Amino acid sequence: MYVCICNAINCKTVRHSVENGASSVASVFKACGKTPQCGRCFTTIREMVGDARPAHGCTGHSHAIAAE
């Protein structure tokens, strides 16, 4: 599922960034080579960074947006 529509960042990309050391919203964007746009995804990314556990899946985040 997409977490950031503006930059087409999905939950797998966020999770991969966190597993590789991203520890904040800004560091996730930096790891993806993207720049934040509208900010609607910040809460979801912040939650995913905070959850940072090995078995973290794409579900359970009400702010994530399904790809059409």
Side-chain angles (χ1 to χ4, degrees):
M1 291 177 24
Y2 283 108
V3 175
C4 175
I5 296 288
C6 298
N7 288 294
I9 299 172
N10 61 35
C11 60
K12 290 179 184 179
T13 302
V14 173
R15 190 172 59 243
H16 180 73
S17 298
V18 170
E19 289 170 356
N20 286 305
S23 59
S24 67
V25 173
S27 61
V28 168
F29 276 96
K30 185 175 180 179
C32 296
K34 306 288 184 177
T35 303
Q37 301 297 316
C38 76
R40 291 181 63 189
C41 60
F42 290 4
T43 300
T44 301
I45 294 173
R46 193 174 297 119
E47 288 174 1
M48 292 178 77
V49 168
D51 289 347
R53 54 183 176 241
H56 190 290
C58 291
T59 60
H61 293 285
S62 60
H63 301 288
I65 302 167
E68 294 183 16

